Amino acid sequence: MARRNLFQPPPPPSDQPAPAKPRFPETGTMSGVRSTLKDLSSNAVRELDPDLIDDGGPSDRLAFGEAEVDALAASIRAHGQQVPIMVRPLPDQPGRFRVVYGRRRLRALRGLGLKAKALVRSLSDEEAILAQGHENSQRLDPSFIEKALFIRELSDAGYAPEIVMDALAVDKPMLSRMNKVARHIPAAVIQRVGPAHGIGRRRWEDIADAVRDGDIDLVALTAPMPFDTVASSDARFEMLAAAVAGRQQKPPRASGATPVIHSDGTRIAELRSTARALTLKLSRSDAPGFADWLEANAEDELSRLYDIWSSQRD
């Protein structure tokens, strides 16, 4: 390459202007700024018409009553909506959303005719369940039975156990226990009892075990019970527990057994007759030694009785 003489004047300027440098070069810092701005935008709270929000999907709380919604509406009327709900867009219905969490707030806002302050997130089904479970567990502290029903609903909807465990912060043994309770105690009965915040896992499990082992029809058992007249959900649970305990302690049905009594008053045995069999039961305490003797001589004695019966038929 030819060297230019340092004392030689510089070449005349070209007619073509030098390319302009970008005002904001594509540096790592600027890229990070744009990413931060995007995050801030996604965290912005939007105001949405409640009629555009679907409140379907899995729920981790039992149905709330009108009094609860009215109390929340009064608070919002006085102080405004302090906590935004979270929604996600419905991909097949542009402009519409589905609530992730905040169903009670959404219902109160509808009653007030106010717009809903909402965080809008594009979440998958699994991400929505995780967000719902984490937010409600931290803020609402659902009861054991509410979590159990939520787990059953998620399991029936096909969510993987790992997603369900993460959403409710439970381990595999607890997941199994909650599933057992929710599958042996009908949802209709649980809805009538309510959340029962003062009732823990063990007592709900006792009811589930009793239903499973005793083949108890809880719907029929509780149908005449006046749950609606009892304000406390914990008290309604106690009514349910007492009814189940009473069913467990119900005296056994009459056996239909006929005692065999000797002329001296000794109870020799009892006969139990059904459409399919005749059973002879000997007590070793009522006639000591006789049961052993009959066991040793049963073949001969039954053969003798059979011969007597046959001869009488002839």
Side-chain angles (χ1 to χ4, degrees):
M1 177 183 295
R3 294 183 179 179
R4 182 173 67 84
N5 189 337
L6 296 176
F7 298 98
Q8 181 179 354
S14 170
D15 293 336
Q16 299 295 328
K21 293 183 178 181
R23 185 176 179 184
F24 299 104
E26 198 63 40
T27 64
T29 301
M30 292 306 299
S31 177
V33 168
R34 272 193 296 275
S35 176
T36 300
L37 290 174
K38 183 178 179 181
D39 291 342
L40 288 173
S41 176
S42 68
N43 285 325
V45 175
R46 296 173 54 184
E47 289 195 345
L48 301 175
D49 185 342
D51 291 338
L52 298 177
I53 304 173
D54 176 11
D55 57 0
S59 174
D60 57 357
R61 296 190 67 195
L62 290 171
F64 31 78
E66 290 298 330
E68 189 178 1
V69 176
D70 290 344
L72 180 57
S75 175
I76 293 175
R77 186 186 297 109
H79 308 291
Q81 182 188 349
Q82 299 297 312
V83 181
I85 66 175
M86 180 180 282
V87 300
R88 56 178 178 147
L90 289 173
D92 56 342
Q93 300 180 52
R96 295 193 61 84
F97 306 87
R98 171 162 292 165
V99 66
V100 176
Y101 57 72
R103 287 172 172 78
R104 191 168 55 104
R105 277 165 281 169
L106 179 60
R107 184 168 166 184
L109 289 164
R110 279 182 179 150
L112 293 171
L114 299 177
K115 292 201 172 182
K117 295 177 181 178
L119 294 166
V120 181
R121 295 286 185 274
S122 295
L123 303 174
S124 67
D125 289 345
E126 289 78 9
E127 290 169 336
I129 288 301
L130 290 173
Q132 178 182 354
H134 291 169
E135 197 269 352
N136 284 347
S137 292
Q138 292 171 9
R139 194 176 63 82
L140 297 175
D141 190 25
S143 67
F144 170 82
I145 198 61
E146 286 181 307
K147 289 183 179 180
L149 279 183
F150 189 39
I151 281 178
R152 176 179 176 176
E153 190 172 359
L154 294 180
S155 299
D156 289 347
Y159 287 94
E162 294 75 17
I163 295 292
V164 179
M165 287 188 288
D166 196 1
L168 281 92
V170 298
D171 57 16
K172 195 168 184 179
M174 181 59 72
L175 179 71
S176 176
R177 290 188 180 102
M178 287 180 160
N179 256 322
K180 176 187 73 172
V181 169
R183 294 192 182 282
H184 284 98
I185 303 178
V189 173
I190 295 172
Q191 290 287 351
R192 293 188 66 196
V193 170
H197 285 280
I199 307 300
R201 169 186 61 83
R202 186 174 298 278
R203 297 199 65 197
W204 280 107
E205 273 196 286
D206 289 343
I207 297 235
D209 291 340
V211 169
R212 178 195 60 195
D213 298 339
D215 193 24
I216 299 174
D217 184 348
L218 270 190
V219 174
L221 180 65
T222 59
M225 296 175 64
F227 283 128
D228 297 341
T229 64
V230 180
S232 166
S233 179
D234 286 6
R236 292 195 293 270
F237 174 88
E238 297 297 347
M239 290 176 61
L240 171 66
V244 171
R247 179 63 180 268
Q248 287 178 298
Q249 295 170 4
K250 186 176 180 180
R253 295 178 181 176
S255 63
T258 302
V260 180
I261 309 294
H262 191 266
S263 58
D264 65 3
T266 301
R267 185 186 180 97
I268 301 174
E270 69 177 25
L271 289 173
R272 186 186 304 272
S273 177
T274 68
R276 301 184 62 182
L278 176 67
T279 305
L280 178 66
K281 179 180 178 181
L282 280 78
S283 170
R284 295 185 186 276
S285 60
D286 289 338
F290 178 61
D292 295 333
W293 177 86
L294 186 58
E295 183 178 9
N297 297 277
E299 184 175 355
D300 292 339
E301 292 301 315
L302 286 175
S303 294
R304 184 177 65 82
L305 290 173
Y306 185 82
D307 288 343
I308 295 174
W309 172 76
S310 296
S311 63
Q312 290 177 347
R313 290 182 64 193
D314 297 338

